[in-house]
């Protein structure tokens, strides 16, 4: 914190989710440590606010260059602490580099607009314009599943906007966040502008939410925690990216091509389904249901499960044994309620859960109505498009959804009626690039990420009016 490494009063062991081997001992910030980080960020806020746009842009661009130079090292770090297969980890690093580059661009695009105040009686003889000003200290709380890129989606826009950051990374993936400290120091970020404080959410997160020096909170995690944060945040600006059980529609006009199957496999099972917009529910028109189910099952059974550092691995361990055991309990519950397992469904070893496909799942079963966050998909046939749309909307979540169709009217009806933050037409709901607006409705969140949109969330609009 404040540009230097600080000794903590306590440490915890960090172990590999796959092998169980000890990776590191990680500092645990207490209330005082967190307060010190907030103080450093608060004192650096004026320095960051005064930093010109071209300097902020250059720092972010330099960070992207440094990350590119160390990309293989960083990918292996993700594989070790998150059990993310190495090929998937490399993709995350590539996206992270792109995210910081987008942030560098956006630092030079922050602007206001002129306001025609003379459109109102009494406004004549005046010129008015708006500016966007940094908020100050941003508290960022990130999850385990994208330990580099989801950090970048909070740190990048905050720096681009001229804010300072206190970052609490996920307990299982702190090393990825801590690795950024040296990168940004070398890139020229002022001391105190980025402070990384690993620790318990009940300690660090609580302090960030309640401390009045923190102007904004940006959080990715569970709806239960996010909703509690929003209730405690008071007048703080808050952005929440929460849960999902994303649905995909495949209508009767869609061809069940190898490309479609491949996209569904990636969308459902990449990183063992531990992705916010992972496909959880697939609704297939009854005329294509049998063909899709057969091909999807065949492809899922070809996936390789193993060591995340093995180049051949497609899926590895879930983030914890506890999460895999929860998956097993949910599958067992669905089967007891009448669901049929097409493939998978049984934990292979502690923490290792195979790609699983269920059919005939009652709508009130957890695997259908809650967020699985694991390698599991439910398949359901439908007859009419509206039936499938209603099924997707029958959810507490609304992050993203997708539809495959060759019928433009069906595509536009789905786009209009699906109650989600983003609709992907002729693609899966797992599609995301890092400059698009990203966020959901209902219990999927509040506010939007995507670098430009996050900058808007992290700035205050100020009006200047001049009487001539």
């Amino acid at each position: 914190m404040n540009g230097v490494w600080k000794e903590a009063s306590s440490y915890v062991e960090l172990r590999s989710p796959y092998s169980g081997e000890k990776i590191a001992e990680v500092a645990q910030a207490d209330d005082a440590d967190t307060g010190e980080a907030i103080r450093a960020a608060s004192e650096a806020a004026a320095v960051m606010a005064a930093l010109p746009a071209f300097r902020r842009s250059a720092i972010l661009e330099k960070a992207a260059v440094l990350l590119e130079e160390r990309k293989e090292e960083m990918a292996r770090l993700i594989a070790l602490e998150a059990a993310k297969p190495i090929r998937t980890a490399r993709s995350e690093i590539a996206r992270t580099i792109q995210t910081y580059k987008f942030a560098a661009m956006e630092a030079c695009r922050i602007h206001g607009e002129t306001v025609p105040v003379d459109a109102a009686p009494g406004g004549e003889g005046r010129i008015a314009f708006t500016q966007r000003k940094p908020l100050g200290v941003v508290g960022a709380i990130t999850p385990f599943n994208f330990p580099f890129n989801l950090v970048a989606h909070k740190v990048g826009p905050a720096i681009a906007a001229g804010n300072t950051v206190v970052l609490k990374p996920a307990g299982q993936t702190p090393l990825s966040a801590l690795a950024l400290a040296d990168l940004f120091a070398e890139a020229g970020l002022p001391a105190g502008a980025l402070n990384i404080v690993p620790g318990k959410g009940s300690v660090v997160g609580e302090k960030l939410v309640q401390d009045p020096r923190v102007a904004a909170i940006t959080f990715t995690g569970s709806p239960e925690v996010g909703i509690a944060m929003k209730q405690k945040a008071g007048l703080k600006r808050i952005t929440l990216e929460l849960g999902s059980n994303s649905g995909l529609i495949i209508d009767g006009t869609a061809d069940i091509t190898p490309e479609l199957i491949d996209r569904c496999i990636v969308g459902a099972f990449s990183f063992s389904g531990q992705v916010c917009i992972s496909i959880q529910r697939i609704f297939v028109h009854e005329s294509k249901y049998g063909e899709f189910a057969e091909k999807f099952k065949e492809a899922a059974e070809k996936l390789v499960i193993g060591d995340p550092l093995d180049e051949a691995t497609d899926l590895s361990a879930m983030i914890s044994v506890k999460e895999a055991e929860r998956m097993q309990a949910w599958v067992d519950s669905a089967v007891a309620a009448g669901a049929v397992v097409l493939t998978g469904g049984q934990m292979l070893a502690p923490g290792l859960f195979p790609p699983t496909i269920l059919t005939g799942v009652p709508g009130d079963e957890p695997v259908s109505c809650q967020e699985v966050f694991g390698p599991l998909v439910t398949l359901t046939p439908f007859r009419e498009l509206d039936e499938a749309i209603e099924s997707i909307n029958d959810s507490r979540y609304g992050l993203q959804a997708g539809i495959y169709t060759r019928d433009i009217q069906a595509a536009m009806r789905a786009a209009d009626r699906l109650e989600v933050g983003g609709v992907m037409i002729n693609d899966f709901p797992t599609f995301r690039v890092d400059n698009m607006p990203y966020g959901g409705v209902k219990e999927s969140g509040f506010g939007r990420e995507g670098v430009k949109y996050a900058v808007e969330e992290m700035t205050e609009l100020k009006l200047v009016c001049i009487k001539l």
Side-chain angles (χ1 to χ4, degrees):
M1 63 184 71
N2 203 23
V4 296
W5 294 99
K6 182 182 183 300
E7 192 74 24
S9 58
S10 66
Y11 289 77
V12 296
E13 287 187 347
L14 183 67
R15 293 186 174 275
S16 160
Y18 175 71
S19 68
E21 295 176 357
K22 180 179 173 180
I23 303 171
E25 290 191 354
V26 180
Q28 294 293 283
D30 57 20
D31 187 84
D33 293 327
T34 310
E36 186 178 338
I38 295 170
R39 178 191 58 76
S42 183
E43 291 176 354
V47 175
M48 278 299 293
L51 208 61
F54 78 89
R55 288 281 307 280
R56 301 195 304 271
S57 179
I59 289 168
L60 288 159
E61 187 66 45
K62 179 64 174 178
V65 169
L66 294 171
L67 187 54
E68 174 74 35
E69 292 172 357
R70 298 175 61 184
K71 61 185 179 183
E72 186 64 19
E73 172 193 348
M74 299 305 179
R76 291 182 66 83
L77 190 59
I78 298 173
L80 281 171
E81 66 177 354
K84 179 170 285 191
I86 187 66
R87 288 181 287 119
T88 309
R90 290 189 188 114
S91 296
E92 179 178 343
I93 295 298
R95 281 187 59 190
T96 304
I97 292 166
Q98 183 67 70
T99 300
Y100 283 124
K101 287 182 176 180
F102 279 135
M105 296 176 194
E106 291 302 330
C108 297
R109 294 174 179 164
I110 300 171
H111 60 84
E113 62 182 8
T114 58
V115 181
V117 289
D118 63 346
E124 59 268 30
R126 289 171 173 81
I127 296 173
F129 59 90
T130 60
Q131 297 176 316
R132 284 202 167 270
K133 295 291 187 178
L135 296 176
V137 180
V138 173
I141 303 171
T142 56
F144 73 84
N145 57 332
F146 286 86
F148 269 100
N149 199 38
L150 289 185
V151 165
H153 270 284
K154 301 180 186 308
V155 171
I159 292 172
N163 295 301
T164 59
V165 183
V166 180
L167 168 66
K168 192 207 95 61
Q172 181 58 42
T173 54
L175 303 182
S176 298
L178 290 166
L180 291 174
D182 291 333
L183 287 180
F184 271 102
E186 188 176 345
L189 189 67
L194 175 61
N195 307 272
I196 302 169
V197 280
K200 293 181 179 179
S202 59
V203 177
V204 179
E206 194 73 14
K207 181 72 170 177
L208 290 174
V209 171
Q210 295 191 355
D211 195 297
R213 294 170 294 181
V214 178
I217 296 290
T218 173
F219 169 80
T220 300
S222 73
E224 292 73 20
V225 174
I227 291 167
M229 280 185 176
K230 193 170 188 303
Q231 291 171 342
K232 295 176 183 177
L235 295 179
K236 279 183 172 65
R237 191 77 62 86
I238 190 160
T239 303
L240 303 173
E241 200 272 279
L242 307 176
S244 177
N245 58 359
S246 294
L248 173 66
I249 297 169
I250 300 172
D251 85 353
T253 69
D255 294 324
I256 310 302
T257 63
E259 179 187 4
L260 184 152
I261 295 295
D262 288 345
R263 292 295 275 174
C264 289
I265 290 292
V266 170
F269 302 124
S270 181
F271 192 34
S272 295
Q274 298 170 123
V275 178
C276 298
I277 40 179
S278 178
I279 303 173
Q280 184 172 326
R281 300 175 295 156
I282 302 180
F283 301 90
V284 188
H285 191 268
E286 59 186 11
S287 65
K288 300 293 178 73
Y289 181 81
E291 179 186 3
F292 176 84
E294 180 181 353
K295 291 180 177 179
F296 188 53
K297 173 180 180 291
E298 181 181 348
E301 291 174 346
K302 291 179 180 178
L303 294 171
V304 176
I305 304 170
D307 187 335
L309 291 171
D310 189 328
E311 295 286 346
T313 295
D314 297 306
L315 281 78
S316 189
M318 294 186 68
I319 199 64
S320 69
V321 173
K322 180 180 178 182
E323 286 300 295
E325 289 173 345
R326 174 186 59 80
M327 283 277 298
Q328 186 67 68
W330 284 13
V331 170
D332 292 346
S333 174
V335 170
V340 174
V341 178
L342 283 189
T343 189
Q346 289 293 324
M347 190 158 47
L348 303 176
L352 281 176
F353 208 91
T356 297
I357 304 170
L358 300 181
T359 64
V361 179
D364 59 353
E365 278 298 305
V367 294
S368 179
C369 66
Q370 297 187 39
E371 181 177 32
V372 170
F373 220 63
L376 183 148
V377 175
T378 66
L379 298 186
T380 306
F382 70 90
R383 179 171 297 178
E384 300 294 336
L385 177 61
D386 286 348
E387 174 190 344
I389 292 172
E390 289 170 8
S391 294
I392 289 180
N393 289 344
D394 184 19
S395 171
R396 56 192 279 214
Y397 304 114
L399 188 48
Q400 293 196 166
I403 178 171
Y404 278 93
T405 180
R406 291 190 295 169
D407 182 343
I408 186 63
Q409 291 183 330
M412 296 312 296
R413 187 157 80 251
D416 181 63
R417 293 191 55 201
L418 285 166
E419 297 169 357
V420 292
V423 177
M424 307 299 127
I425 297 173
N426 288 329
D427 208 347
F428 57 11
T430 322
F431 176 78
R432 182 185 183 185
V433 291
D434 297 291
N435 62 334
M436 76 187 208
Y438 177 77
V441 299
K442 297 188 276 190
E443 289 187 32
S444 282
F446 185 83
R448 291 294 181 270
E449 290 194 335
V451 181
K452 171 187 173 182
Y453 308 93
V455 166
E456 293 175 357
E457 300 276 356
M458 295 180 185
T459 52
E460 195 71 70
L461 196 64
K462 185 176 188 178
L463 174 73
V464 179
C465 186
I466 305 169
K467 187 176 186 301
L468 301 177

